[in-house]
Amino acid sequence: MTMLDVNLFGDGAVFDHVGIAVNSIRDMIPEGAQITPDETQRVSVAFVETHGIRLEFIEPLGEHAPIASSLEKGHKLVHLCFRVPELALAIESGRKNGFHCIAKPVPAKAFDDRKIAWLFSRTYGLIELLES
């Protein structure tokens, strides 16, 4: 089968992880794994790798955290994340491909304060861009 390579976020964009909403990170990960709270995003996160794919478990920090509504609706798979060399260029490339930037870039604790941005597309859903 031949696969078509679709460039949504510009040259150098690579898949990074899948974001999954959970009620409790402690229930999902082995003892001793690092959990990172991020007050800006109002979540705590932890990363695990399984079968060659990195998963980000996302737990709400309080009932008013945006991720809490996903859990209430039973939506566990929240987003795909792509690492990009330059966030502004990736956002512009995404815009040309039907993505709308829904949150301005901000530093993220889980990524050593590298900037992230949130994009949405009716076709692809929620996408996180992470600046390399």
Side-chain angles (χ1 to χ4, degrees):
M1 171 173 29
T2 303
M3 272 229 234
L4 179 63
D5 187 11
V6 179
N7 187 341
L8 298 174
F9 305 112
D11 294 337
V14 295
F15 177 76
D16 191 84
H17 67 267
V18 175
I20 299 174
V22 298
N23 288 308
S24 171
I25 290 173
R26 290 265 179 239
D27 292 345
M28 304 298 297
I29 61 172
E31 186 75 26
Q34 181 178 345
I35 298 174
T36 304
D38 187 333
E39 295 291 334
T40 302
Q41 302 294 316
R42 298 187 304 204
V43 296
S44 288
V45 301
F47 292 90
V48 298
E49 189 163 319
T50 182
H51 305 286
I53 295 194
R54 195 158 83 135
L55 302 177
E56 176 187 32
F57 292 124
I58 310 162
E59 176 184 324
L61 278 180
E63 64 186 56
H64 299 294
I67 198 75
S69 65
S70 291
L71 286 167
E72 288 170 7
K73 295 173 187 172
H75 300 159
K76 301 289 188 172
L77 179 60
V78 178
H79 70 266
L80 300 178
C81 178
F82 294 89
R83 202 170 49 252
V84 298
E86 194 170 328
L87 205 47
L89 292 176
I91 291 169
E92 180 58 32
S93 183
R95 186 177 299 122
K96 291 175 183 174
N97 287 296
F99 288 85
H100 302 280
C101 189
I102 59 172
K104 69 178 184 169
V106 294
K109 295 283 183 213
F111 304 110
D112 299 319
D113 288 327
R114 288 181 287 154
K115 288 187 177 182
I116 61 169
W118 294 99
L119 281 66
F120 181 80
S121 156
R122 288 181 191 244
T123 302
Y124 294 95
L126 187 62
I127 300 292
E128 179 181 30
L129 296 180
L130 166 63
E131 194 161 56
S132 295

